[in-house]
Amino acid sequence: MWEAIKGWFDPRELRSVGSRPDYRFSLANERTFLAWLRTGLALIAGGLAAAQFLPRLPLAHLREVIAVALLLLGATVAVRAVDHWARTERAIRLDEELPASRFPAVLALVVALGALVLVAVVLARALG
């Protein structure tokens, strides 16, 4: 695991693998990485906004749970983004199949479940 993390910060190691790819593929990989990073930053901003601006909710500490969940999810997305970028770049250089990941589906389910919880909270507050 530490070798993988070390590889994130050492572009020479990544460039020593395989052959030089078409730059368009590397740039597309980088754009995807930046899109994931924007998603992580948006989740972190949402967590900070929830902590600062949400009013008290019917359940004790629900606001803090929402904020911490968004902050942790944002951090997870950022770390996952760099790991996926490195694995994809390596696969491109080695002319291998791109790495498959369940993370987008898991992230979509977590976001959808979070939205459903918030809908329940909003309805409980409006009706109760």
Side-chain angles (χ1 to χ4, degrees):
M1 178 172 167
W2 287 111
E3 288 300 315
I5 293 173
K6 185 179 144 193
W8 297 348
F9 300 101
D10 188 7
R12 289 175 297 171
E13 190 274 335
L14 188 60
R15 289 186 176 170
S16 69
V17 174
S19 61
R20 183 186 314 172
D22 185 339
Y23 288 117
R24 292 175 293 178
F25 298 129
S26 291
L27 293 174
N29 187 31
E30 192 169 306
R31 283 192 300 273
T32 303
F33 164 72
L34 293 173
W36 278 107
L37 209 51
R38 283 191 300 271
T39 302
L41 288 172
L43 289 166
I44 291 169
L48 290 175
Q52 292 297 314
F53 301 117
L54 271 182
R56 289 195 178 276
L57 298 174
L59 297 173
H61 303 294
L62 182 58
R63 179 178 61 187
E64 289 78 14
V65 168
I66 291 169
V68 169
L70 287 171
L71 292 169
L72 290 175
L73 193 57
T76 302
V77 167
V79 170
R80 187 265 177 201
V82 71
D83 180 59
H84 190 74
W85 171 83
R87 290 185 302 124
T88 301
E89 191 67 22
R90 184 179 186 85
I92 290 171
R93 294 187 70 84
L94 293 172
D95 199 24
E96 293 178 346
E97 190 169 331
L98 297 180
S101 176
R102 293 185 181 106
F103 188 78
V106 171
L107 179 62
L109 286 175
V110 169
V111 169
L113 287 174
L116 290 175
V117 168
L118 290 176
V119 166
V121 169
V122 168
L123 289 176
R125 189 170 182 174
L127 300 175

